[in-house]
PDB file of all heavy atoms in Angstrom:
ATOM      1  N   ASN A  28     -33.616  27.644  25.256  1.00  0.00           N
ATOM      2  CA  ASN A  28     -34.378  28.796  25.073  1.00  0.00           C
ATOM      3  C   ASN A  28     -35.650  28.446  24.218  1.00  0.00           C
ATOM      4  O   ASN A  28     -36.780  29.106  24.355  1.00  0.00           O
ATOM      5  CB  ASN A  28     -33.468  29.780  24.281  1.00  0.00           C
ATOM      6  CG  ASN A  28     -32.482  30.415  25.088  1.00  0.00           C
ATOM      7  OD1 ASN A  28     -32.599  30.510  26.339  1.00  0.00           O
ATOM      8  ND2 ASN A  28     -31.383  31.102  24.447  1.00  0.00           N
ATOM      9  N   ASP A  32     -39.080  29.691  25.435  1.00  0.00           N
ATOM     10  CA  ASP A  32     -39.683  30.820  24.751  1.00  0.00           C
ATOM     11  C   ASP A  32     -40.514  30.391  23.444  1.00  0.00           C
ATOM     12  O   ASP A  32     -41.062  31.136  22.781  1.00  0.00           O
ATOM     13  CB  ASP A  32     -38.705  31.930  24.452  1.00  0.00           C
ATOM     14  CG  ASP A  32     -38.204  32.540  25.701  1.00  0.00           C
ATOM     15  OD1 ASP A  32     -38.917  32.565  26.766  1.00  0.00           O
ATOM     16  OD2 ASP A  32     -37.054  32.894  25.859  1.00  0.00           O
ATOM     17  N   SER A  41     -34.087  33.373  13.753  1.00  0.00           N
ATOM     18  CA  SER A  41     -34.154  33.584  12.341  1.00  0.00           C
ATOM     19  C   SER A  41     -33.528  34.964  11.861  1.00  0.00           C
ATOM     20  O   SER A  41     -32.817  35.050  10.915  1.00  0.00           O
ATOM     21  CB  SER A  41     -35.614  33.540  11.793  1.00  0.00           C
ATOM     22  OG  SER A  41     -35.730  33.757  10.427  1.00  0.00           O
ATOM     23  N   LYS A  42     -33.858  36.020  12.747  1.00  0.00           N
ATOM     24  CA  LYS A  42     -33.304  37.274  12.486  1.00  0.00           C
ATOM     25  C   LYS A  42     -31.827  37.396  12.830  1.00  0.00           C
ATOM     26  O   LYS A  42     -31.116  37.929  12.012  1.00  0.00           O
ATOM     27  CB  LYS A  42     -33.979  38.317  13.434  1.00  0.00           C
ATOM     28  CG  LYS A  42     -33.562  39.751  13.381  1.00  0.00           C
ATOM     29  CD  LYS A  42     -33.916  40.398  11.941  1.00  0.00           C
ATOM     30  CE  LYS A  42     -33.535  41.794  11.875  1.00  0.00           C
ATOM     31  NZ  LYS A  42     -33.765  42.426  10.589  1.00  0.00           N
ATOM     32  N   LYS A  56     -50.728  26.689   2.773  1.00  0.00           N
ATOM     33  CA  LYS A  56     -51.052  25.898   1.501  1.00  0.00           C
ATOM     34  C   LYS A  56     -50.873  26.976   0.395  1.00  0.00           C
ATOM     35  O   LYS A  56     -50.494  26.478  -0.824  1.00  0.00           O
ATOM     36  CB  LYS A  56     -52.373  25.311   1.593  1.00  0.00           C
ATOM     37  CG  LYS A  56     -52.378  24.141   2.605  1.00  0.00           C
ATOM     38  CD  LYS A  56     -53.785  23.556   2.668  1.00  0.00           C
ATOM     39  CE  LYS A  56     -53.793  22.365   3.634  1.00  0.00           C
ATOM     40  NZ  LYS A  56     -55.157  21.659   3.692  1.00  0.00           N
ATOM     41  N   LYS A  60     -48.586  26.394  -2.931  1.00  0.00           N
ATOM     42  CA  LYS A  60     -49.170  26.418  -4.306  1.00  0.00           C
ATOM     43  C   LYS A  60     -48.609  27.439  -5.111  1.00  0.00           C
ATOM     44  O   LYS A  60     -48.150  27.277  -6.285  1.00  0.00           O
ATOM     45  CB  LYS A  60     -50.700  26.712  -4.179  1.00  0.00           C
ATOM     46  CG  LYS A  60     -51.311  26.645  -5.534  1.00  0.00           C
ATOM     47  CD  LYS A  60     -52.930  26.859  -5.400  1.00  0.00           C
ATOM     48  CE  LYS A  60     -53.584  26.835  -6.790  1.00  0.00           C
ATOM     49  NZ  LYS A  60     -55.098  26.978  -6.547  1.00  0.00           N
ATOM     50  N   TYR A  63     -45.017  26.759  -6.924  1.00  0.00           N
ATOM     51  CA  TYR A  63     -44.935  26.052  -8.319  1.00  0.00           C
ATOM     52  C   TYR A  63     -44.615  27.066  -9.347  1.00  0.00           C
ATOM     53  O   TYR A  63     -44.070  26.774 -10.408  1.00  0.00           O
ATOM     54  CB  TYR A  63     -46.244  25.248  -8.520  1.00  0.00           C
ATOM     55  CG  TYR A  63     -46.401  23.947  -7.814  1.00  0.00           C
ATOM     56  CD1 TYR A  63     -46.685  23.844  -6.513  1.00  0.00           C
ATOM     57  CD2 TYR A  63     -46.012  22.783  -8.541  1.00  0.00           C
ATOM     58  CE1 TYR A  63     -46.730  22.610  -5.848  1.00  0.00           C
ATOM     59  CE2 TYR A  63     -46.166  21.615  -7.850  1.00  0.00           C
ATOM     60  CZ  TYR A  63     -46.430  21.459  -6.553  1.00  0.00           C
ATOM     61  OH  TYR A  63     -46.533  20.188  -5.976  1.00  0.00           O
ATOM     62  N   ALA A 147     -43.979  16.266   9.534  1.00  0.00           N
ATOM     63  CA  ALA A 147     -43.918  17.808   9.637  1.00  0.00           C
ATOM     64  C   ALA A 147     -42.442  18.182   9.202  1.00  0.00           C
ATOM     65  O   ALA A 147     -41.402  17.575   9.768  1.00  0.00           O
ATOM     66  CB  ALA A 147     -43.977  18.188  11.084  1.00  0.00           C
ATOM     67  N   CYS A 149     -39.265  20.751   8.401  1.00  0.00           N
ATOM     68  CA  CYS A 149     -38.557  22.077   8.730  1.00  0.00           C
ATOM     69  C   CYS A 149     -37.477  22.351   7.809  1.00  0.00           C
ATOM     70  O   CYS A 149     -36.675  21.397   7.467  1.00  0.00           O
ATOM     71  CB  CYS A 149     -38.032  21.985  10.197  1.00  0.00           C
ATOM     72  SG  CYS A 149     -39.284  22.108  11.450  1.00  0.00           S
ATOM     73  N   PRO A 151     -34.680  25.776   6.592  1.00  0.00           N
ATOM     74  CA  PRO A 151     -34.363  27.261   6.862  1.00  0.00           C
ATOM     75  C   PRO A 151     -34.791  28.116   5.767  1.00  0.00           C
ATOM     76  O   PRO A 151     -34.980  27.591   4.581  1.00  0.00           O
ATOM     77  CB  PRO A 151     -32.849  27.215   7.218  1.00  0.00           C
ATOM     78  CG  PRO A 151     -32.353  26.020   6.320  1.00  0.00           C
ATOM     79  CD  PRO A 151     -33.483  25.012   6.588  1.00  0.00           C
ATOM     80  N   ALA A 152     -34.862  29.390   5.883  1.00  0.00           N
ATOM     81  CA  ALA A 152     -35.252  30.302   4.896  1.00  0.00           C
ATOM     82  C   ALA A 152     -34.052  30.482   3.988  1.00  0.00           C
ATOM     83  O   ALA A 152     -32.943  30.541   4.399  1.00  0.00           O
ATOM     84  CB  ALA A 152     -35.603  31.612   5.641  1.00  0.00           C
ATOM     85  N   LYS A 195     -46.110  21.204  16.786  1.00  0.00           N
ATOM     86  CA  LYS A 195     -46.381  20.207  17.620  1.00  0.00           C
ATOM     87  C   LYS A 195     -45.181  19.177  17.640  1.00  0.00           C
ATOM     88  O   LYS A 195     -44.648  18.867  16.599  1.00  0.00           O
ATOM     89  CB  LYS A 195     -47.678  19.476  17.232  1.00  0.00           C
ATOM     90  CG  LYS A 195     -48.098  18.329  18.217  1.00  0.00           C
ATOM     91  CD  LYS A 195     -49.358  17.718  17.752  1.00  0.00           C
ATOM     92  CE  LYS A 195     -49.813  16.486  18.647  1.00  0.00           C
ATOM     93  NZ  LYS A 195     -50.994  15.871  18.117  1.00  0.00           N
ATOM     94  N   GLY A 226     -22.179  13.073   9.643  1.00  0.00           N
ATOM     95  CA  GLY A 226     -20.973  13.866   9.540  1.00  0.00           C
ATOM     96  C   GLY A 226     -20.850  14.410   8.072  1.00  0.00           C
ATOM     97  O   GLY A 226     -21.763  14.200   7.284  1.00  0.00           O
ATOM     98  N   ILE A 232     -13.867   5.539  -4.120  1.00  0.00           N
ATOM     99  CA  ILE A 232     -13.898   4.847  -5.380  1.00  0.00           C
ATOM    100  C   ILE A 232     -12.872   3.839  -5.422  1.00  0.00           C
ATOM    101  O   ILE A 232     -11.658   4.064  -5.062  1.00  0.00           O
ATOM    102  CB  ILE A 232     -13.731   5.902  -6.516  1.00  0.00           C
ATOM    103  CG1 ILE A 232     -14.861   6.966  -6.394  1.00  0.00           C
ATOM    104  CG2 ILE A 232     -13.740   5.246  -7.938  1.00  0.00           C
ATOM    105  CD1 ILE A 232     -14.772   8.050  -7.461  1.00  0.00           C
ATOM    106  N   LYS A 267      -0.563   4.717 -12.621  1.00  0.00           N
ATOM    107  CA  LYS A 267      -0.713   5.477 -13.798  1.00  0.00           C
ATOM    108  C   LYS A 267      -2.196   6.104 -13.870  1.00  0.00           C
ATOM    109  O   LYS A 267      -2.314   7.305 -14.215  1.00  0.00           O
ATOM    110  CB  LYS A 267      -0.591   4.538 -15.064  1.00  0.00           C
ATOM    111  CG  LYS A 267      -0.783   5.327 -16.469  1.00  0.00           C
ATOM    112  CD  LYS A 267      -0.595   4.346 -17.614  1.00  0.00           C
ATOM    113  CE  LYS A 267      -0.948   5.123 -18.913  1.00  0.00           C
ATOM    114  NZ  LYS A 267      -0.854   4.142 -20.084  1.00  0.00           N
ATOM    115  N   LEU A 276      -8.867  15.808 -12.731  1.00  0.00           N
ATOM    116  CA  LEU A 276      -9.542  16.537 -11.704  1.00  0.00           C
ATOM    117  C   LEU A 276      -9.279  17.966 -11.745  1.00  0.00           C
ATOM    118  O   LEU A 276     -10.155  18.857 -11.576  1.00  0.00           O
ATOM    119  CB  LEU A 276      -9.140  15.909 -10.361  1.00  0.00           C
ATOM    120  CG  LEU A 276      -9.942  16.251  -9.029  1.00  0.00           C
ATOM    121  CD1 LEU A 276      -9.890  15.177  -8.088  1.00  0.00           C
ATOM    122  CD2 LEU A 276      -9.271  17.471  -8.417  1.00  0.00           C
ATOM    123  N   SER A 284     -18.289  25.919 -11.994  1.00  0.00           N
ATOM    124  CA  SER A 284     -18.524  27.118 -11.181  1.00  0.00           C
ATOM    125  C   SER A 284     -18.277  26.862  -9.651  1.00  0.00           C
ATOM    126  O   SER A 284     -17.930  27.766  -8.844  1.00  0.00           O
ATOM    127  CB  SER A 284     -20.041  27.642 -11.333  1.00  0.00           C
ATOM    128  OG  SER A 284     -20.854  26.611 -11.018  1.00  0.00           O
ATOM    129  N   GLY A 286     -15.961  24.773  -8.819  1.00  0.00           N
ATOM    130  CA  GLY A 286     -14.567  24.260  -8.778  1.00  0.00           C
ATOM    131  C   GLY A 286     -13.591  24.656  -7.747  1.00  0.00           C
ATOM    132  O   GLY A 286     -12.847  23.813  -7.241  1.00  0.00           O
ATOM    133  N   ARG A 290     -11.996  21.865  -5.330  1.00  0.00           N
ATOM    134  CA  ARG A 290     -10.675  21.717  -5.351  1.00  0.00           C
ATOM    135  C   ARG A 290     -10.137  21.888  -3.968  1.00  0.00           C
ATOM    136  O   ARG A 290      -9.291  21.072  -3.489  1.00  0.00           O
ATOM    137  CB  ARG A 290      -9.982  22.800  -6.225  1.00  0.00           C
ATOM    138  CG  ARG A 290      -8.521  22.439  -6.592  1.00  0.00           C
ATOM    139  CD  ARG A 290      -7.723  23.652  -7.076  1.00  0.00           C
ATOM    140  NE  ARG A 290      -8.391  24.206  -8.186  1.00  0.00           N
ATOM    141  CZ  ARG A 290      -8.077  23.891  -9.488  1.00  0.00           C
ATOM    142  NH1 ARG A 290      -7.203  22.999  -9.761  1.00  0.00           N
ATOM    143  NH2 ARG A 290      -8.627  24.602 -10.485  1.00  0.00           N
ATOM    144  N   ILE A 315     -12.854   1.297   5.988  1.00  0.00           N
ATOM    145  CA  ILE A 315     -13.246   2.771   6.075  1.00  0.00           C
ATOM    146  C   ILE A 315     -14.711   2.837   6.077  1.00  0.00           C
ATOM    147  O   ILE A 315     -15.236   3.783   6.591  1.00  0.00           O
ATOM    148  CB  ILE A 315     -12.713   3.304   4.667  1.00  0.00           C
ATOM    149  CG1 ILE A 315     -11.253   3.542   4.713  1.00  0.00           C
ATOM    150  CG2 ILE A 315     -13.289   4.810   4.507  1.00  0.00           C
ATOM    151  CD1 ILE A 315     -10.558   4.122   3.509  1.00  0.00           C
ATOM    152  N   ALA A 316     -15.475   1.877   5.526  1.00  0.00           N
ATOM    153  CA  ALA A 316     -16.929   1.755   5.592  1.00  0.00           C
ATOM    154  C   ALA A 316     -17.523   3.161   5.064  1.00  0.00           C
ATOM    155  O   ALA A 316     -18.195   3.875   5.855  1.00  0.00           O
ATOM    156  CB  ALA A 316     -17.470   1.472   6.969  1.00  0.00           C
ATOM    157  N   VAL A 330     -16.140  -7.790  -7.734  1.00  0.00           N
ATOM    158  CA  VAL A 330     -15.539  -6.943  -6.629  1.00  0.00           C
ATOM    159  C   VAL A 330     -16.685  -6.408  -5.699  1.00  0.00           C
ATOM    160  O   VAL A 330     -16.516  -6.627  -4.478  1.00  0.00           O
ATOM    161  CB  VAL A 330     -14.903  -5.826  -7.209  1.00  0.00           C
ATOM    162  CG1 VAL A 330     -14.470  -4.717  -6.075  1.00  0.00           C
ATOM    163  CG2 VAL A 330     -13.651  -6.118  -8.010  1.00  0.00           C
ATOM    164  N   HIS A 336     -19.250  -3.187   3.870  1.00  0.00           N
ATOM    165  CA  HIS A 336     -19.517  -2.021   4.707  1.00  0.00           C
ATOM    166  C   HIS A 336     -19.548  -0.711   3.919  1.00  0.00           C
ATOM    167  O   HIS A 336     -18.593  -0.208   3.507  1.00  0.00           O
ATOM    168  CB  HIS A 336     -18.606  -1.910   5.906  1.00  0.00           C
ATOM    169  CG  HIS A 336     -18.360  -3.075   6.677  1.00  0.00           C
ATOM    170  ND1 HIS A 336     -19.447  -3.713   7.378  1.00  0.00           N
ATOM    171  CD2 HIS A 336     -17.301  -3.921   7.014  1.00  0.00           C
ATOM    172  CE1 HIS A 336     -19.064  -4.844   7.997  1.00  0.00           C
ATOM    173  NE2 HIS A 336     -17.812  -4.809   7.803  1.00  0.00           N
ATOM    174  N   ASN A 397     -42.076 -24.174  34.583  1.00  0.00           N
ATOM    175  CA  ASN A 397     -40.903 -24.650  35.201  1.00  0.00           C
ATOM    176  C   ASN A 397     -39.628 -23.948  34.810  1.00  0.00           C
ATOM    177  O   ASN A 397     -38.957 -23.494  35.591  1.00  0.00           O
ATOM    178  CB  ASN A 397     -40.710 -26.268  34.962  1.00  0.00           C
ATOM    179  CG  ASN A 397     -39.623 -26.803  35.828  1.00  0.00           C
ATOM    180  OD1 ASN A 397     -39.670 -26.582  37.166  1.00  0.00           O
ATOM    181  ND2 ASN A 397     -38.729 -27.369  35.322  1.00  0.00           N
ATOM    182  N   THR A 398     -39.548 -23.729  33.575  1.00  0.00           N
ATOM    183  CA  THR A 398     -38.443 -22.945  32.953  1.00  0.00           C
ATOM    184  C   THR A 398     -38.477 -21.625  33.596  1.00  0.00           C
ATOM    185  O   THR A 398     -37.387 -20.976  34.045  1.00  0.00           O
ATOM    186  CB  THR A 398     -38.505 -22.798  31.550  1.00  0.00           C
ATOM    187  OG1 THR A 398     -38.476 -24.168  31.010  1.00  0.00           O
ATOM    188  CG2 THR A 398     -37.375 -22.007  30.841  1.00  0.00           C
ATOM    189  N   LYS A 401     -37.616 -21.363  37.527  1.00  0.00           N
ATOM    190  CA  LYS A 401     -36.294 -21.507  37.860  1.00  0.00           C
ATOM    191  C   LYS A 401     -35.464 -20.309  37.430  1.00  0.00           C
ATOM    192  O   LYS A 401     -34.547 -19.904  38.206  1.00  0.00           O
ATOM    193  CB  LYS A 401     -35.790 -22.756  37.183  1.00  0.00           C
ATOM    194  CG  LYS A 401     -36.300 -24.038  37.799  1.00  0.00           C
ATOM    195  CD  LYS A 401     -35.710 -25.237  37.145  1.00  0.00           C
ATOM    196  CE  LYS A 401     -36.339 -26.570  37.698  1.00  0.00           C
ATOM    197  NZ  LYS A 401     -36.129 -26.715  39.154  1.00  0.00           N
TER     198      LYS A 401
END
Side-chain angles (χ1 to χ4, degrees):
N28 288 338
D32 295 327
S41 181
K42 178 66 175 178
K56 291 182 179 179
K60 185 177 179 180
Y63 280 83
C149 285
K195 185 180 176 183
I232 299 177
K267 181 180 177 182
L276 190 147
S284 61
R290 191 201 304 274
I315 292 174
V330 171
H336 304 305
N397 189 53
T398 299
K401 289 185 181 302

